[in-house]
Amino acid sequence: STTPVIQPISVYGFENFNTLTPPNWEKLWTVLDVNDDGTWMMEAGAGMGSSNAASYPGDPNLDADDWLFTPGAYLLAGSSYSLDFWYRSRDGSPQVLEVAWGTSPDPASMTVFATYANFGNTSFVQGLGQYGVAPFFNTPNVAQMYYIGFHVKSAKGSGPLDLDDIVLYDNP
């Protein structure tokens, strides 16, 4: 009989925001407020179990167009990576969130690999993709720093959107 070999999974980043000091962004997180409305912030008590979370406050007058970029992670050429995270619409209003990867914390370098449209869950749910697994992306044949971008595109008046427990790891 042959014993299966279990391959270890490498984790390239984990953030539950509990070591950050609200409302400040630390540890190389980057925010881009494209349309000068309210934007992503660190918020105490908004996360799972009333922990810290990344929060977009919503804007009563403008549609959202705001990016939250992770710190860069050095990823291998031609490899596949999964992203696990939890999200909610704090007040239940419909939200739209895109998740992208790119070579810099800039919308022009980002490629969307998952979209969560018109969700209104007030409890945190795991960001699973089309087949019930964490969404994934494949890097091109270049080993370098890559970034994950969370792009909120909700309609004006949509209220707060919260993210927590973000993990980037090898796609098995």
Side-chain angles (χ1 to χ4, degrees), residues 89-168:
S89 171
R90 196 181 316 163
D91 68 1
S93 57
Q95 302 279 0
V96 179
L97 179 69
E98 294 178 335
V99 184
W101 66 275
T103 55
S104 69
D106 180 334
S109 84
M110 292 282 132
T111 300
V112 174
F113 66 96
T115 301
Y116 302 85
N118 299 316
F119 64 89
N121 47 286
T122 56
S123 297
F124 279 95
V125 296
Q126 194 171 17
L128 299 178
Q130 179 179 0
Y131 301 105
V133 297
F136 65 92
F137 63 96
N138 300 311
T139 58
N141 287 324
V142 179
Q144 66 182 36
M145 295 294 279
Y146 290 95
Y147 299 80
I148 302 298
F150 294 93
H151 184 207
V152 62
K153 296 180 61 176
S154 304
K156 63 184 176 185
S158 289
L161 183 156
D162 301 313
L163 294 177
D164 207 358
D165 290 1
I166 300 167
V167 183
L168 176 64

Side-chain angles (χ1 to χ4, degrees), residues 4-95:
V5 176
I6 298 174
Q7 299 296 322
I9 294 176
S10 294
V11 173
Y12 299 92
F14 169 75
E15 186 59 71
N16 64 8
F17 305 106
N18 294 335
T19 61
L20 301 178
T21 307
N24 302 318
W25 286 106
E26 303 158 347
K27 296 175 27 176
L28 303 177
W29 285 81
T30 306
V31 170
L32 179 62
D33 184 359
V34 176
N35 61 351
D36 293 324
D37 61 345
T39 195
W40 289 100
M41 60 185 175
M42 176 63 48
E43 189 169 346
M48 296 191 333
S50 298
S51 64
N52 294 347
S55 297
Y56 172 78
D59 188 289
N61 302 311
L62 294 172
D63 292 344
D65 189 5
D66 296 79
W67 288 86
L68 174 65
F69 298 104
T70 66
Y74 188 82
L75 303 180
L76 300 176
S79 297
S80 187
Y81 297 92
S82 290
L83 185 73
D84 193 13
F85 65 96
W86 294 76
Y87 68 96
R88 73 172 177 174
S89 171
R90 196 181 316 163
D91 68 1
S93 57
Q95 302 279 0

